[in-house]
Amino acid sequence: MSATDESGTTEEFDATTESVLRTDGLTKQFGEFVALDGVDLDVSEGEFRSVIGPNGAGKTTLFNVLTGALSPTEGTVTFRGEDVTDLPPHQRVRRGMGRSFQISTVFGGLTVRENVRLAAQSVVQGRGEIPLVGRFLSPTDRFEAVLERTDEVLADIGLADRADDRARNLAHGDRRRLELGLVLAGDPELVLLDEPTAGMGSEETQRTIRLVEEVLSDRTLLLIEHDIDLVMNVSDSVTVLNRGQVLATGSPDRIAGDDEVQRAYLGGVRE
Ligand code: ADP
Ligand code: MG
C-alpha cells in the first residue's frame, strides 16, 4: 500500500495504516465549469482528515461525489479497496460510509432513544442485504442487534440519561450529540461531515469540533470545514482545496506554514 502519491502525506498516516478512502483523478464538471479538477485523496484508517478551502472551492461537490449523491465526470472513488464510483449512496452506506445527517433527520416528537433506534434500524434492517452489525442474523436477532447498538450509541454520545426525553426538549449541545449519534448508529467505518458548524458562533463551533473529535475518535473522519484555524488542533492531516484542485495535503503544522495556502486564503473569498 502506498500513500505517497498524494502530495505531502503526513508522517503519522502513511504506509503503516490501511487506506480506507481513495480518489484518483476525481473530476466533476457542471457544464463547462470544472468544480473538481483531478482530485487525488488517500485517507487512512483512523485518520482525522479535514478538507478546507475558500467558499466555492469544491468541498461540498467532493462530498457529494464521495457519497454518491453526484457522479464524477472522470476519476474513481475507492472505499476499503473496492471501486464504489458507480454505486448509489445507500450501497456506500451499507459498506460503511456514514453520511452526515441534516438537522431535520432528528424527530423532535420522538425520544432520544427512538431517534437513535430509527437510525440504527434504517442501516441494520432497512435493506434487503444486511450490512455490518446485522449481517448473518435472524430477524429477531437483528432487532436485538438494533437495540444493542442503540444502547452503545447512547453511551458513546453521553445521552444515556436523556434517552427518554423528547428530542425537541434537548439543549442545543445535546442535540448536536444526538445528531452525531444518528451518524454513529450505523457503525460507519468512515464518517463524512460537511461543515457541521455552519451558522455557529466561534465558541459553539469550537465546542462542536471538540465534540466531533471526542465522539468519533475511533473512526476514520473526513471533516469538511471552511475555517482553517478551527481544524488545526484536532486534525491528523489537512487537505486544502482551491478551485477544485488539491493545493496541499499535510500535517496541520505544515499546512499552517505553507505560503501557497496562505495566498489562496488571502486571495480567496472568506466569510
Ligand atoms: P464549497 O463547498 O467548497 O463552498 P461547492 O462544492 O459547493 O463549494 O461549489 C463549488 C463550485 O461548484 C461553486 O462555484 C458552485 O457554484 C458550483 N456548483 C456546485 N454545485 C453545482 C451544481 N449542481 N450546478 C452548477 N454548479 C454547481
Ligand atoms: Mg460547501
Side-chain angles (χ1 to χ4, degrees):
M1 194 216 77
S2 161
T4 51
D5 49 348
E6 193 181 347
S7 64
T9 308
T10 51
E11 306 76 35
E12 309 95 289
F13 284 98
D14 57 10
T16 52
T17 39
E18 210 157 309
S19 172
V20 169
L21 179 73
R22 190 189 150 107
T23 69
D24 291 282
L26 208 56
T27 298
K28 179 64 185 179
Q29 290 184 223
F30 297 109
E32 293 291 293
F33 181 74
V34 185
L36 288 180
D37 189 2
V39 171
D40 296 332
L41 286 180
D42 199 339
V43 183
S44 301
E45 195 172 356
E47 184 171 350
F48 186 154
R49 169 78 58 97
S50 292
V51 177
I52 61 170
N55 288 327
K59 303 182 297 296
T60 295
T61 302
L62 172 64
F63 184 96
N64 284 338
V65 172
L66 292 175
T67 58
L70 291 175
S71 296
T73 311
E74 270 179 67
T76 55
V77 178
T78 306
F79 182 56
R80 300 160 94 191
E82 182 189 3
D83 186 337
V84 299
T85 314
D86 297 322
L87 290 184
H90 70 272
Q91 296 215 18
R92 300 186 200 207
V93 171
R94 191 186 291 166
R95 282 162 173 75
M97 226 188 240
R99 281 175 292 179
S100 69
F101 285 73
Q102 296 300 316
I103 288 168
S104 59
T105 58
V106 171
F107 295 102
L110 298 184
T111 66
V112 169
R113 178 183 282 111
E114 286 163 345
N115 269 283
V116 174
R117 200 177 65 212
L118 275 177
Q121 212 161 324
S122 73
V123 179
V124 178
Q125 302 194 296
R127 301 172 191 102
E129 190 188 312
I130 307 304
L132 306 171
V133 230
R135 207 173 279 165
F136 311 125
L137 299 177
S138 72
T140 314
D141 289 348
R142 223 176 280 152
F143 189 66
E144 288 297 317
V146 168
L147 296 183
E148 213 170 283
R149 183 68 200 141
T150 300
D151 286 341
E152 282 169 11
V153 169
L154 287 170
D156 284 352
I157 60 177
L159 288 183
D161 57 338
R162 310 294 311 269
D164 298 318
D165 292 6
R166 301 223 174 269
R168 74 162 74 92
N169 295 331
L170 290 179
H172 199 68
D174 284 345
R175 192 182 166 108
R176 293 278 165 208
R177 287 182 178 272
L178 176 56
E179 286 163 11
L180 289 177
L182 300 186
V183 178
L184 269 183
D187 201 16
E189 164 90 33
L190 169 71
V191 176
L192 301 120
L193 300 175
D194 188 359
E195 303 207 25
T197 65
M200 294 181 185
S202 75
E203 215 170 286
E204 194 190 358
T205 296
Q206 292 279 1
R207 265 205 306 276
T208 301
I209 296 285
R210 269 190 229 110
L211 177 64
V212 165
E213 187 191 25
E214 173 202 323
V215 170
L216 304 176
S217 62
D218 55 349
R219 315 268 155 178
T220 308
L221 181 60
L222 198 60
L223 172 72
I224 298 177
E225 172 59 60
H226 77 276
D227 193 320
I228 186 168
D229 302 323
L230 277 177
V231 296
M232 284 301 172
N233 294 326
V234 293
S235 309
D236 295 311
S237 58
V238 179
T239 290
V240 185
L241 265 193
N242 191 40
R243 298 167 193 259
Q245 297 184 335
V246 174
L247 194 62
T249 291
S251 67
D253 281 352
R254 186 177 160 274
I255 293 300
D258 189 309
D259 288 345
E260 224 184 320
V261 172
Q262 296 300 337
R263 268 198 300 279
Y265 268 85
L266 292 173
V269 187
R270 291 193 73 171
E271 285 174 288

